[in-house]
Amino acid sequence: MKPGAVATGEAAVQAGVAAISVSKVAKTFDTRQGVRALEQVDFSVPRGEFVSILGPSGCGKSTLLRIVAGLIQPDAGGDVRVLDHSQTRMSDDVGVVFQTHNMLPWETVEANIRLAAEVRKLPRKDIDERVEALLPILKLEKFRRNYPHELSGGMRQRAALGQILVMRPKVLLLDEPFGALDALTRDQLNVELLRLWQEMRQTVILITHSISEAVFLSDRVLVMSERPGRVIEDIRIDLPRPRDPRTTKEAAAFGHYVVQLGHLMGVD
Ligand SMILES: Nc1ncnc2c1ncn2[C@@H]1O[C@H](COP(=O)(O)OP(=O)(O)OP(=O)(O)O)[C@@H](O)[C@H]1O
Ligand SMILES: [Mg+2]
C-alpha cells in the first residue's frame, strides 16, 4: 500500500475505523452515447477524517459524491458503506451541500435552516436549541429574519451549510460549496468550516477545484483521473492542527504540498 493509504472496502469497515468505504465503484450513465463517468473507484475515510477530492472538470466527482450520499446507485459490483450501512438510500446521518444552494426564496434564513428538522418532525424545543446554537457559529444571527436574496453569496453558502448542520450529520459531503465565491470570502468560509469541523469532528468529503483549499483543510487529498474517473493519488497532508490561515499557509510544507498536487493535476 502507498504511504498514507488506508485499508479499503470491507476490511476497513470491519476494523471499525472507516466511516465511508467505497469499493469497486463504477458508473455508466445510460444516455444515448453511454457516458462512463467512474471506473474502479476505491477508497475509505476513517471516522472524523477530512478528505478532499481534486480532479479535472467532468471526471465524475459530483457523481461519486451522489453515489456516496445514496442519491444514485453505482453499477453492479460496486459497494458503498457509510457508517456501517450499505448506502442504498439517503440517511439523516449524512448531510450533502451541493454546488448551488437549495434555499426556499420565500422563507427567511431561520425558516430555511429549520426546515429539514421540521420536516423530520423533531421536537420544537430541540429545533429551537439547535438553531440558536448554529446561528452564531454561522455568523447569521443578525440576518435570521432576512430572505435569501437579501444575503451576500458567502452568507447564502453559510445558510446552506446551516440547513444541513441542523440535522447534526455525522458525515458531511460537500460538493464545491464555495466554488461560486470570490477568493477572500472563500478563504473566510474555509476558516469557518475548519472551526466547525474542529468542534464537531464530522467525517467530511469536500470536492474542490482549489488545491490550496484542499491542502489547508484536509487530512488527505485524493486526486482523480480524467473521465472515467479513478482515484490516482492519495496524499496525506501532514500539517499540524489546529491550522490557522497565516501560520499554516506560510509553512514550507504547505507550499510543497501545493506544488506536488499542482504537478499531479497538470496545472503548472
Ligand atoms: N444524470 C446524468 N446523466 C447523464 N450523464 C451524467 C449525469 N450526471 C453526470 N453525467 C456525466 O458524467 C460525467 C461526470 O459528471 P460529474 O458531474 O460527476 O463531473 P464533475 O467531476 O463533478 O465535474 P465538475 O468539476 O465540472 O463539477 C460527465 O460527463 C457528465 O456529463
Ligand atoms: Mg461537479
Side-chain angles (χ1 to χ4, degrees):
M1 238 184 324
K2 279 187 208 151
V6 292
T8 56
E10 207 56 34
V13 172
Q14 275 170 11
V17 289
I20 301 167
S21 168
V22 172
S23 58
K24 299 195 185 70
V25 162
K27 181 71 188 174
T28 304
F29 286 107
D30 245 347
T31 49
R32 251 176 306 137
Q33 315 92 318
V35 175
R36 187 143 181 87
L38 296 169
E39 193 167 83
Q40 189 73 24
V41 177
D42 281 281
F43 67 93
S44 69
V45 183
R47 282 172 205 273
E49 199 169 71
F50 197 124
V51 170
S52 290
I53 298 181
L54 288 169
S57 182
C59 76
K61 301 179 296 298
S62 296
T63 302
L64 178 59
L65 206 78
R66 286 185 151 79
I67 290 174
V68 174
L71 290 165
I72 55 175
Q73 299 304 310
D75 295 347
D79 184 49
V80 176
R81 308 205 124 239
V82 177
L83 302 170
D84 297 346
H85 298 294
S86 174
Q87 187 71 341
T88 50
R89 65 176 108 131
M90 291 196 72
S91 142
D92 284 344
D93 281 333
V94 180
V96 195
V97 180
F98 292 107
Q99 279 171 294
T100 49
H101 74 80
N102 218 352
M103 273 190 287
L104 301 177
W106 58 86
E107 295 282 13
T108 62
V109 166
E110 180 176 344
N112 268 291
I113 292 178
R114 297 177 71 93
L115 192 66
E118 282 173 354
V119 169
R120 302 309 191 288
K121 298 200 164 34
L122 261 60
R124 175 152 188 185
K125 190 168 143 283
D126 290 0
I127 304 178
D128 290 345
E129 272 172 28
R130 289 183 185 198
V131 171
E132 292 316 315
L134 266 177
L135 286 169
I137 296 176
L138 298 166
K139 299 200 181 133
L140 286 170
E141 285 158 298
K142 293 203 180 84
F143 292 87
R144 61 195 298 162
R145 294 190 220 298
N146 287 74
Y147 291 88
H149 76 272
E150 297 170 323
L151 305 181
S152 72
M155 287 173 186
R156 256 191 303 254
Q157 282 311 97
R158 288 204 296 265
L161 209 51
Q163 288 185 287
I164 301 304
L165 292 174
V166 74
M167 294 308 292
R168 305 210 168 146
K170 297 191 181 87
V171 171
L172 266 182
L173 305 175
L174 308 175
D175 191 352
E176 297 190 58
F178 312 137
L181 303 173
D182 65 277
L184 191 64
T185 310
R186 187 174 181 145
D187 284 351
Q188 286 166 347
L189 284 185
N190 276 337
V191 172
E192 279 154 33
L193 177 61
L194 198 58
R195 196 162 40 81
L196 251 164
W197 175 77
Q198 275 161 191
E199 264 174 46
M200 303 189 187
R201 287 291 165 153
Q202 303 98 336
T203 305
V204 181
I205 296 183
L206 168 75
I207 290 174
T208 175
H209 278 113
S210 163
I211 294 175
S212 63
E213 180 172 283
V215 174
F216 177 60
L217 294 171
S218 312
D219 297 308
R220 271 161 72 212
V221 178
L222 308 183
V223 180
M224 288 180 68
S225 66
E226 295 273 357
R227 187 169 62 80
R230 284 174 301 114
V231 175
I232 50 170
E233 287 290 340
D234 183 340
I235 312 273
R236 180 158 294 281
I237 307 297
D238 219 348
L239 296 169
R241 294 192 188 270
R243 294 182 191 166
D244 169 272
R246 270 161 306 156
T247 49
T248 302
K249 289 187 180 174
E250 276 167 19
F254 180 88
H256 293 152
Y257 284 123
V258 171
V259 170
Q260 181 188 6
L261 285 160
H263 280 306
L264 290 169
M265 300 279 297
V267 291
D268 43 0

